[in-house]
Amino acid sequence: MVEVVRAGPMTTIQDWPGRVGYWSVGVPPSGPMDDLSFRLANVAVGNPEGAAGLEATLVGPRLRFSAPTVVAVTGAPVTVTAIGSDGSTRAVAQGVPLTVGDGDALDVGPVGAVGMRVYIAVAGGLDAQEYLGSVATFGLGRFGGLDGRSLTDGDTLAIGDAVVGTPRRVQFDEHPAIGNAWDLAVTMGPHGAPEFFTDADITTVLDTAYEVHFNSDRTGVRLIGPKPTWARPDGGEAGLHPSNIHDTAYSVGALDFTGDTPILLGPDGPSLGGFVCPVTVTTADRWKLGQLKAGDTVRFVPVRTQDAASPAALGAERRARFATVVSAGHDEDNGVLAVDATADGESSVTYRRSGDDNILVEYGDMSLDLELRARVHALAAHIEAHRPPGLTDLTPGIRSLQVKVDAAVWSQPRLLAWLREVEAALPAADDLVVDSRSVALPLSWDDPSTREAIQRYMFGVRSDAPWCPWNIEFIRRMNGLDSVDDVHRIVFDAEYLVLGLGDVYLGAPVATPLDPRHRLVTTKYNPARTWTPENAVGIGGAYLCVYGMEGPGGYQFVGRTTQVWNHRHPLRAAGFDPEHPWLLRHFDRIRWYPVGADELLDLRADVAAGRGDVTIEQGSFSLAEHRAFLAREHDDIVAVRTGMEESRAQERRRWSDSGEFASAPTAGVPA
């Protein structure tokens, strides 16, 4: 056993590459934020590179061992001290395998002027709680590692049974170069100029030395830098701010503009969201995100995707490759790899680069059209049915599908050619019929917990936002409704079709009303909230979302509901499938029924205890029938939507007159 004598402020159990294959339902990979240092620690003790070890932030732990073993420490420079069972001490170099005996201890000190995280490997790895195929700790989700949390003083850890080879010293040139001024290799895209950013904006992104904000963590590294001028006035149905887009899958390492705030998404970041990303850090350089600390500077160095270093390479090999690819220049395509038409000629297909390990396949124009989502579904179903080796994740968005692969297996040109071939062979989408369950969920309207979140935002982030102090009144104004009672009526009358899962983690649905007259459109918080209660219900753009867990967010609140993720997995609770912990599925239809705040607390307690149930009826969604409905109601739909759009235009003019669009960016968090 290993006793945690002193845990440090944030020490967690991680493995590599983490929890892979669940991006489509909002489960991030987690794993070490600096995968390079983590893997080197395992190499030093003779473990497989992915064996479970410890990640410590800012201050390392003190560990006492109950049996002889071999340990090693890598990452940010720290003082490492071996403490014998007799009380003797000696300094230990990082990256050097250390044999400890029964009763010996290892003390890992605080990080100094450079770096942020330290890694400790133990021969055999650590025996920890596996969840969805990995023991990596995801603290926000409360799973993996040890009870899904950071270690505390007095914890005990069991040594695992990973196959141990020959320990060896990490060579000097293998150690990652850690400093305070960073160059990050990035690929262009997925969202570049001139569609979303101006050419001047992209030049600014590549020429600016951004400063790392103190409000950074494993979900994302916030940066301080100039505000974009933007290539368009707003995001249309996706939201009032020009950074808003219809929800799409993110890549770890994407530079995500949440409003005007740039954030580098980390391994605990969201899988799906509605903000643009102009560049993406390459897989081989993402380790650097784990060592960025407040006050460091970051420059983005664009490289050619085909020249990027292999993610399998270790320290010296990566650095040599980085120097080579920088001199080779970068892709001049603004992130757009190809543009085709569907076989029936009814839609365009755009293939966007999303890092060196993803391609984002996007259908049609930037608009909300369920036919486009049907095409996404058909493409995903075909790929899943013929799933090739090296394919990691398929994550659908509103009008897009992100295809993630192992960059060491698939080159991007090869992946692009294969995707274009697959898409060209798809049948027309107009005959699509998919399983579509009707799910009845309770909604506590204007719940006290959401009121509290707004108050926290006003006190801690921004008090003068147009959506404060009451989001529901803001929704009313944005859509030209006579009273907040009209907002209430529309939300409870609507039937919401689930188009994506994991919009804000853990099976969180992003859904839109089937009837366009029910599509209330808002903008997202800018900057976003730092706290959102679990299972809050909000509207952003034309979409409704149920927050899968407590965390940051940006949708405008309407209330709160019961859990959409079963933390008691695999126990059956409240309508959950015992085979997986997420409640909802793509193309489910959600209807709300009203409950009071106290009643909701009782219902939530029932779900948490494994009691209660959710009313679910089987059914189907037919694109042809939906088209027929739209044709029958066309004139009234146009009239209602036109009135809403005029109200949003008026709101936008008020924002412009008040200087809202000219305000300086503030560090925020991803929604």
Side-chain angles (χ1 to χ4, degrees), residues 155-170:
D155 283 340
T156 56
L157 310 174
I159 296 177
D161 57 2
V163 177
V164 180
T166 303
R168 71 166 179 86
R169 174 192 294 266
V170 176

Side-chain angles (χ1 to χ4, degrees), residues 148-211:
R149 60 171 173 82
S150 299
L151 302 184
T152 59
D153 297 355
D155 283 340
T156 56
L157 310 174
I159 296 177
D161 57 2
V163 177
V164 180
T166 303
R168 71 166 179 86
R169 174 192 294 266
V170 176
Q171 300 302 311
F172 176 79
D173 63 352
E174 289 181 297
H175 283 280
I178 299 175
N180 298 120
W182 297 85
D183 288 336
L184 299 185
V186 297
T187 56
M188 305 305 295
H191 309 118
E195 295 171 273
F196 307 97
F197 295 87
T198 65
D199 289 332
D201 287 335
I202 298 300
T203 299
T204 298
V205 166
L206 300 179
D207 288 351
T208 297
Y210 289 89
E211 181 182 343

Side-chain angles (χ1 to χ4, degrees), residues 166-346:
T166 303
R168 71 166 179 86
R169 174 192 294 266
V170 176
Q171 300 302 311
F172 176 79
D173 63 352
E174 289 181 297
H175 283 280
I178 299 175
N180 298 120
W182 297 85
D183 288 336
L184 299 185
V186 297
T187 56
M188 305 305 295
H191 309 118
E195 295 171 273
F196 307 97
F197 295 87
T198 65
D199 289 332
D201 287 335
I202 298 300
T203 299
T204 298
V205 166
L206 300 179
D207 288 351
T208 297
Y210 289 89
E211 181 182 343
V212 176
H213 191 271
F214 68 86
N215 185 22
S216 298
D217 55 27
R218 285 177 51 88
T219 64
V221 177
R222 286 76 179 164
L223 303 177
I224 302 170
K227 172 183 177 296
T229 56
W230 301 104
R232 51 190 193 144
D234 56 51
E237 285 183 300
L240 204 56
H241 195 276
S243 67
N244 297 163
I245 57 172
H246 296 283
D247 280 38
T248 188
Y250 290 137
S251 169
V252 174
L255 181 64
D256 185 34
F257 273 83
T258 62
D260 297 315
T261 303
I263 300 175
L264 285 166
L265 299 180
D268 282 356
S271 62
L272 198 69
F275 294 105
V276 292
C277 304
V279 296
T280 306
V281 180
T282 62
T283 50
D285 255 27
R286 288 175 196 162
W287 71 268
K288 297 178 181 178
L289 274 62
Q291 299 298 350
L292 297 176
K293 69 190 311 176
D296 285 1
T297 59
V298 173
R299 285 186 177 274
F300 299 111
V301 180
V303 301
R304 295 188 187 280
T305 308
Q306 64 187 36
D307 297 327
S310 167
L314 292 176
E317 189 179 347
R318 289 192 185 191
R319 285 199 297 277
R321 190 64 178 162
F322 179 81
T324 301
V325 299
V326 168
S327 63
H330 67 277
D331 297 302
E332 301 285 353
D333 51 20
N334 288 316
V336 177
L337 299 171
V339 179
D340 294 335
T342 55
D344 58 12
E346 293 188 4

Side-chain angles (χ1 to χ4, degrees), residues 353-366:
R353 180 187 300 105
S354 186
D356 59 333
D357 54 346
N358 299 284
I359 289 181
L360 187 67
V361 185
E362 205 171 69
Y363 284 96
D365 298 326
M366 186 64 68

Side-chain angles (χ1 to χ4, degrees), residues 8 300 505 579:
F300 299 111
Y505 299 105
E579 296 300 317

